Amino acid sequence: MVKRLGAFQAILNQAQPGSLSLTDTDRKTLTPKRPSMPDPIRPIRLLHLEDNPQDAQLIHDLLAAGGIACNILLVDSREQFEAALNEGSFELILCDYNLPGYDGLAALEQVGKRCPDTPVIVVSGSINEEEAVRCLHLGATDYLLKERLERLVSAVKRALKEAADNNRRRANEMLLRIAGTISRLGGWAVNLPPHHVEWSDEVCAIHEVPTGTFPKLEDALAFFTPEFRSIIEEAFTNCSRMGIPYDLELQITTARGRRLWVRAIGEAVREAQGTITRVQGAFQDITDRKRAEESLRRSQERYALAAHASEAGLWDWDLTTDVIEYAPHFREMLGYSVEEFPDTYAAFESCLHPDDRAATQQAIQDHIKARRSRPSNAEFRLRTKSGDYRWFLASAQAVWDESGRATRMVGSTVDITGRKLAEVRLREHAALLEKAPNAIVVCELDHRITYWNRGAERLYGWTAAEAVGSSMRKLLHPDPGLFDPAMKHLLKQGEWIGELTQVNKHGSILTIDGRWTLLRDEAGNPQAVLAINTDITERRVIETQLLRSQRMESIGTLAGGIAHDLNNLLVPIVMGVDLLRQSAPDELSQRVIRSIAQSARRGTGLVKQVLTFSRGAAGARVAVHLGHVIKEVVNIMTNSFPKNITVTTNVPEPLRLVHGDPTQLSQVLLNLCVNSRDAMPEGGRLTITTRNTDIDRQYASMHHGVSTGHYAVLEVADSGKGIAKENLERIFDPFYTTKEEGQGTGLGLYTTLGIVRSHGGFLTVKSEPGEGTTFTIHLPEQILGGDESGSAGRSSHPFVELARGHGECILLVDDESTILTITQQTLELAGYSVLTAEDGAQAISLYALHREKISVVLTDMVMPVMDGAKLIGALRRIDPQVRIIAMSGVDVPDRKARDAAAGIRHFLAKPYTSETLLTMLRDVMAGNGRQPDGAGPSP
């Protein structure tokens, strides 16, 4: 019997469910969905068979870039693939063709057995036409070459669309099969001229006659009750003669005497010439629906009475018919009449503000999807008859039938325009607070945070969503012992102002300047706390650095004074050694004298090191062999480092000499070794290595500030705890240290880097946490024109071989009696005559008396009564040609400029040796500008 899908579908849309128990799959397929509320987009479930992770990642990235969201299960073997087919369902399968022990054909066979409706795309690195055809014969939707993946996205979209079309087609076929049963819908037909009526099984069941009954037309019409029989007879006649279709709701009396409401549909079938040869149609039992409509009509009457008494805009929405019954007050709030605002969802949607439509529809859909048993709320704007938009709050609850389908939604709507305007004003005020740079926080008296502005987000790192509801005491204050007294003072005085330590999201300690105010209600009772916090952490750090800098400056001043006194004490020792060397008759005495000389030189070096660190004073630059520097530092470490640290050195020969200050280079190496010692509290290995290397253009171009040339390399490596990556970039910053308070100033590496750069070199560091640290220093090679011994040693010529005088008179001026005595003895033994003065005033008197015979004035620069600078000025006025050698135990950074301004051409740094003193005297009297070791420059 011929059935018309369009007519059946129209009847099915109003069918009453519940007459037949269906599976969940059938319900999902047959339950109609509102076009205005589509299901949310979800990722497709994709099974990917691929043994190459890189190819798999490339394919996944291409799908994501093409806008295809996927939940991907990646498998790489036959066992995993077949297990996935058994355990889950997928909307798409991507399959590699060639796999170890497995291929795409075998995979397609498994898909065909387990899930033949799932589309499969074969993706292969190499596949010929014959193999591709076999894949398609076995059910593959498409195949792609990995070299041509530009078709991937379009192929996947096409496969998904075809699968969706097939699913809809199968759903429609199933719909036709079970439509009659689920909706008690049957078909009938009558061939013309009238003969017997053909009834489907469902129509027979409705009439309660045996299946296969084919009554005559008049007998079939007799089942209709008298009041409806003439109506159906007239309708059938008009349809069979003139082709007028009909769709009627009528009553019949079944063979068992039951009275039922039915829906009868009929339409004419014409042959090619237009003659009507057949009438066919559908028949449906709608008794349950008619009873429900009657019940609904009575309930609507009661609902109308209740709605009339309520000021809220009540409504009842029939989801199956899209009809909404609005209470009179609903339209009154908007100013519309019934004609202007009909009982439809479309009328409501047309007044809905465009910006609120998507959110409102989503709220309806979410409520139905979640099957909530409590009402859901939504806020939206509706256009009134005057054209203005007003804010409304709707509270709605869905009603579900026995099959779980939402059939109704009831609720109320209240005008909240006044409240929304107040909220806007509050938001405007809050926006001003959000722009404030300070952290503004409001908390209850139990410390629960209720407001958290953008300034607080920037300062502390937590968003408002994370902070609101948390305890301010637990969130921000690692030490409640500081927070609790502040709160106690606030509750007592109503305000608290002061500094407090807090912590941010990353665990960093902050210093804040807080202004906390106690908020009270209208009755004057404490209600909340308003805290305005300003971050002063950086200010405190700068102040601390300034204090450290001032302290270091004070230390430098103190060190300079101490160095001056120490140098004065060392002068007699250094020069006395030279005198003793002349009178010591045996080797034992010579060894003792050499030990004293070595200790004196070490003391001199320590004084220079203190001055270099504290005041930046620089020593003379000479040719330095790094091996000698390493030897000195290792001697210091041997006596001072823990025994659980093993020190190893590797100094290959020949090693290039570098031009530098031995004291500063020793300080560099010692700083690095001390850092390594601190990084190995449990002991470890410290390795000091040197080597030669050449820097070419390629390396220099890749490293800023590096020049090409020959270099000597000094490398310090330890097996310590290493340096964290976040600290590695800051280790050379001044005052930056990871050591505990009081154990480091943060100046060691900063000073080291400055010294290396001042020597024309560069420094690199490599470190990994737990893997130790390696510092590598590159120093440029010394370009030598004479002796290459550098600082390897000092002159050991006997005193008689030093430069001697021939009775010339030297005026010696110094406030230290020991220096006067030892220097006078040295000069007299060397053939000079000496006049001594203990201060500048005495020196002027002596010079005025013995001007003609004084060849050179040798004066200290730091003296009481009259210092060296004033003395020199006075002597220049007496005799502009006077030859002067200045002496001092303190070498300040701007000494050269001061000396030039005072007319000083020769400078002798204390402590000095006999060799240095006598050589300079010889050169000054001979007019030679060359400066011996330890002397200042000769302009």
Side-chain angles (χ1 to χ4, degrees):
M1 181 175 61
V2 179
K3 298 181 176 69
R4 297 275 301 200
L5 176 60
F8 289 2
Q9 184 68 54
I11 298 172
L12 182 63
N13 287 340
Q14 301 185 24
Q16 297 299 313
S19 60
L20 182 65
S21 177
L22 300 176
T23 65
D24 290 340
T25 301
D26 293 336
R27 288 196 181 98
K28 292 177 181 177
T29 303
L30 296 174
T31 301
K33 298 181 180 179
R34 291 183 50 79
S36 59
M37 295 182 293
D39 288 336
I41 298 175
R42 60 173 178 79
I44 66 169
R45 299 182 302 279
L46 187 146
L47 175 60
H48 191 182
L49 175 59
E50 173 60 65
D51 63 336
N52 188 318
Q54 290 78 17
D55 291 351
Q57 186 61 49
L58 174 60
I59 290 173
H60 300 168
D61 292 343
L62 288 174
L63 291 176
I68 301 177
C70 303
N71 287 330
I72 301 173
L73 175 60
L74 179 64
V75 297
D76 60 1
S77 65
R78 175 176 185 165
E79 293 75 16
Q80 293 180 0
F81 183 71
E82 294 180 1
L85 293 178
N86 291 332
E87 295 176 3
S89 61
F90 302 90
E91 296 169 74
L92 180 65
I93 297 175
L94 297 181
C95 176
D96 192 4
Y97 186 81
N98 294 311
L99 297 101
Y102 202 47
D103 61 18
L105 297 177
L108 287 170
E109 290 179 357
Q110 294 299 323
V111 174
K113 294 177 181 179
R114 291 175 168 83
C115 47
D117 297 329
T118 302
V120 181
I121 298 177
V122 177
V123 184
S124 176
S126 61
I127 183 171
N128 57 41
E129 184 175 355
E130 182 180 351
E131 291 171 331
V133 171
R134 292 181 63 189
C135 290
L136 295 177
H137 286 168
L138 285 175
T141 304
D142 203 345
Y143 71 92
L144 301 171
L145 292 176
K146 292 182 178 179
E147 292 80 7
R148 299 292 302 276
L149 287 178
E150 62 271 16
R151 285 203 314 113
L152 175 65
V153 173
S154 60
V156 169
K157 290 182 178 180
R158 183 173 60 254
L160 293 174
K161 182 178 183 304
E162 291 177 358
D165 293 340
N166 291 336
N167 288 337
R168 284 192 293 271
R169 185 178 62 256
R170 286 191 293 271
N172 287 333
E173 292 173 353
M174 181 182 65
L175 181 66
L176 290 176
R177 289 195 302 270
I178 66 174
T181 304
I182 195 172
S183 61
R184 300 198 67 187
L185 175 66
W188 59 269
V190 178
N191 293 320
L192 301 178
H195 293 294
H196 290 86
V197 179
E198 298 177 4
W199 278 354
S200 68
D201 294 345
E202 187 60 34
V203 175
C204 292
I206 293 172
H207 287 81
E208 296 183 325
V209 297
T211 300
T213 300
F214 298 102
K216 294 180 180 179
L217 179 59
E218 56 271 19
D219 295 333
L221 296 176
F223 280 94
F224 290 91
T225 58
E227 63 269 30
F228 294 106
R229 187 173 302 165
S230 60
I231 298 174
I232 187 62
E233 288 177 348
E234 181 181 359
F236 182 83
T237 301
N238 292 336
C239 182
S240 61
R241 293 180 179 177
M242 294 177 287
I244 301 174
Y246 60 86
D247 185 348
L248 303 172
E249 293 183 358
L250 311 166
Q251 281 189 320
I252 65 170
T253 302
T254 68
R256 297 181 180 179
R258 292 197 307 134
R259 196 178 182 93
L260 301 178
W261 277 97
V262 297
R263 184 179 181 185
I265 298 176
E267 59 182 18
V269 178
R270 300 176 184 271
E271 61 181 8
Q273 292 77 12
T275 303
I276 298 175
T277 60
R278 183 182 178 89
V279 177
Q280 61 185 23
F283 208 78
Q284 182 184 26
D285 182 355
I286 60 171
T287 304
D288 292 339
R289 197 197 76 193
K290 296 296 285 185
R291 291 172 180 170
E293 289 176 353
E294 178 60 23
S295 176
L296 178 61
R297 184 187 62 79
R298 291 195 295 268
S299 66
Q300 285 177 338
E301 290 178 354
R302 294 191 295 270
Y303 163 76
L305 293 175
H308 183 70
S310 173
E311 293 184 359
L314 305 179
W315 46 268
D316 187 344
W317 182 12
D318 188 336
L319 299 177
T320 63
T321 62
D322 218 16
V323 173
I324 303 180
E325 294 288 341
Y326 297 103
H329 185 64
F330 185 94
R331 293 186 177 88
E332 291 174 3
M333 290 188 298
L334 299 175
Y336 294 109
S337 64
V338 175
E339 294 75 16
E340 294 168 332
F341 198 95
D343 291 334
T344 62
Y345 179 82
F348 167 79
E349 195 172 36
S350 66
C351 292
L352 194 60
H353 195 286
D355 294 343
D356 299 336
R357 289 177 184 174
T360 304
Q361 292 176 355
Q362 187 65 44
I364 296 171
Q365 185 176 359
D366 290 345
H367 177 83
I368 295 175
K369 185 177 180 180
R371 294 182 57 82
R372 293 177 182 149
S373 59
R374 301 185 63 180
S376 297
N377 297 327
E379 295 181 0
F380 47 79
R381 287 162 290 182
L382 292 177
R383 186 184 64 253
T384 64
K385 187 175 181 179
S386 63
D388 298 329
Y389 280 96
R390 298 186 66 82
W391 277 98
F392 293 88
L393 170 65
S395 179
Q397 174 65 56
V399 178
W400 289 269
D401 61 13
E402 295 179 357
S403 66
R405 185 178 64 175
T407 58
R408 292 173 57 210
M409 182 171 284
V410 296
S412 63
T413 302
V414 180
D415 190 335
I416 59 169
T417 304
R419 192 196 79 187
K420 296 297 288 188
L421 292 176
E423 290 178 355
V424 170
R425 288 192 294 270
L426 288 176
R427 282 197 298 271
E428 291 174 349
H429 295 160
L432 297 177
L433 297 179
E434 292 298 316
K435 295 179 180 179
N438 307 92
I440 301 177
V441 182
V442 178
C443 68
E444 304 290 348
L445 297 182
D446 61 356
H447 315 316
R448 184 176 62 85
I449 297 172
T450 58
Y451 177 74
W452 185 271
N453 78 332
R454 292 286 179 84
E457 291 183 349
R458 290 189 295 268
L459 175 58
Y460 299 113
W462 287 286
T463 64
E466 294 172 325
V468 172
S470 302
S471 169
M472 184 169 74
R473 184 174 186 268
K474 295 180 180 179
L475 188 68
L476 300 180
H477 298 275
D479 183 7
L482 299 176
F483 171 78
D484 293 341
M487 284 296 297
K488 184 176 180 180
H489 182 275
L490 173 69
L491 294 174
K492 183 178 180 180
Q493 302 295 332
E495 187 178 37
W496 175 85
I497 300 174
E499 292 185 10
L500 206 60
T501 298
Q502 295 181 335
V503 65
N504 64 13
K505 185 176 182 180
H506 307 293
S508 300
I509 301 300
L510 305 175
T511 302
I512 64 103
D513 181 15
R515 299 183 66 91
W516 297 359
T517 303
L518 189 63
L519 303 179
R520 302 179 183 274
D521 59 17
E522 296 179 355
N525 299 317
Q527 187 177 30
V529 176
L530 170 65
I532 303 176
N533 297 333
T534 304
D535 183 12
I536 59 172
T537 306
E538 186 175 354
R539 185 200 310 171
R540 289 291 176 260
V541 170
I542 294 174
E543 291 175 355
T544 302
Q545 291 178 354
L546 179 60
L547 290 175
R548 286 182 179 178
S549 178
Q550 292 173 344
R551 186 167 66 250
M552 292 303 299
E553 184 177 351
S554 299
I555 292 174
T557 303
L558 177 61
I562 295 174
H564 176 266
D565 293 339
L566 287 176
N567 283 330
N568 285 336
L569 293 174
L570 287 170
V571 169
I573 299 174
V574 172
M575 298 188 67
V577 167
D578 291 333
L579 295 176
L580 289 174
R581 187 179 291 123
Q582 308 307 312
S583 60
D586 55 82
E587 180 61 27
L588 177 61
S589 299
Q590 290 290 337
R591 286 201 300 269
V592 173
I593 292 172
R594 284 196 293 271
S595 297
I596 296 173
Q598 183 179 4
S599 297
R601 285 196 299 272
R602 180 173 293 179
T604 302
L606 289 175
V607 172
K608 287 184 178 180
Q609 187 171 352
V610 169
L611 287 175
T612 298
F613 175 74
S614 63
R615 303 186 64 179
R621 296 288 178 92
V622 296
V624 180
H625 191 288
L626 293 179
H628 302 311
V629 175
I630 294 174
K631 185 176 180 180
E632 279 192 27
V633 173
V634 169
N635 288 335
I636 296 174
M637 292 190 295
T638 302
N639 298 323
S640 61
F641 275 29
K643 301 302 180 183
N644 59 0
I645 295 180
T646 302
V647 180
T648 303
T649 61
N650 181 15
V651 185
E653 293 291 349
L655 183 65
R656 291 168 179 161
L657 300 180
V658 299
H659 183 66
D661 183 341
T663 301
Q664 288 188 341
L665 294 178
S666 297
Q667 178 185 348
V668 166
L669 181 57
L670 187 59
N671 283 347
L672 295 180
C673 291
V674 169
N675 277 351
S676 296
R677 179 201 65 187
D678 295 341
M680 300 183 290
E682 306 299 328
R685 299 183 310 278
L686 175 60
T687 304
I688 305 174
T689 306
T690 61
R691 67 178 186 275
N692 297 324
T693 190
D694 296 329
I695 300 298
D696 57 17
R697 291 184 179 179
Q698 180 178 359
Y699 184 91
S701 64
M702 296 172 61
H703 297 79
H704 178 69
V706 176
S707 302
T708 60
H710 306 300
Y711 286 80
V713 179
L714 175 63
E715 189 172 273
V716 179
D718 64 64
S719 60
K721 56 188 177 182
I723 304 173
K725 184 178 180 181
E726 59 270 18
N727 296 330
L728 198 59
E729 297 179 355
R730 300 186 59 193
I731 59 175
F732 296 106
D733 293 348
F735 300 108
Y736 178 77
T737 179
T738 58
K739 298 177 182 179
E740 296 180 0
E741 185 72 23
Q743 295 188 7
T745 63
L747 289 172
L749 290 177
Y750 172 69
T751 303
T752 296
L753 182 62
I755 293 175
V756 171
R757 287 179 174 174
S758 71
H759 282 71
F762 62 94
L763 186 153
T764 59
V765 58
K766 293 182 180 179
S767 183
E768 291 289 341
E771 300 295 332
T773 303
T774 300
F775 286 91
T776 304
I777 298 173
H778 288 71
L779 296 172
E781 178 186 16
Q782 164 72 59
I783 307 300
L784 296 173
D787 180 26
E788 298 185 2
S789 60
S791 59
R794 297 181 181 271
S795 173
S796 60
H797 296 296
F799 184 75
V800 295
E801 297 180 3
L802 298 178
R804 296 183 59 83
H806 299 87
E808 295 91 340
C809 182
I810 306 299
L811 176 58
L812 177 62
V813 186
D814 202 304
D815 62 316
E816 292 286 341
S817 59
T818 55
I819 295 177
L820 280 175
T821 301
I822 194 67
T823 305
Q824 181 181 5
Q825 292 174 356
T826 300
L827 292 173
E828 289 176 347
L829 286 174
Y832 294 96
S833 63
V834 181
L835 296 174
T836 61
E838 296 182 355
D839 57 48
Q842 187 179 2
I844 292 174
S845 299
L846 288 173
Y847 189 82
L849 292 174
H850 306 283
R851 172 181 175 182
E852 297 300 329
K853 70 175 184 178
I854 294 175
S855 299
V856 177
V857 177
L858 184 63
T859 180
D860 188 20
M861 295 299 292
V862 181
M863 296 181 296
V865 182
M866 178 183 289
D867 61 16
K870 293 180 180 179
L871 171 61
I872 293 171
L875 293 177
R876 292 289 186 195
R877 288 192 292 272
I878 296 173
D879 182 5
Q881 303 301 319
V882 62
R883 289 179 288 191
I884 300 173
I885 298 176
M887 302 182 297
S888 178
V890 181
D891 187 11
V892 294
D894 58 348
R895 179 186 60 79
K896 296 179 182 179
R898 294 184 182 182
D899 291 352
I904 300 172
R905 295 173 55 84
H906 306 281
F907 182 84
L908 190 62
K910 294 180 179 179
Y912 44 82
T913 64
S914 299
E915 176 189 6
T916 304
L917 173 62
L918 297 176
T919 301
M920 181 169 284
L921 276 173
R922 181 194 64 193
D923 293 341
V924 169
M925 287 187 293
N928 187 354
R930 184 178 65 87
Q931 299 298 312
D933 180 29
S938 177

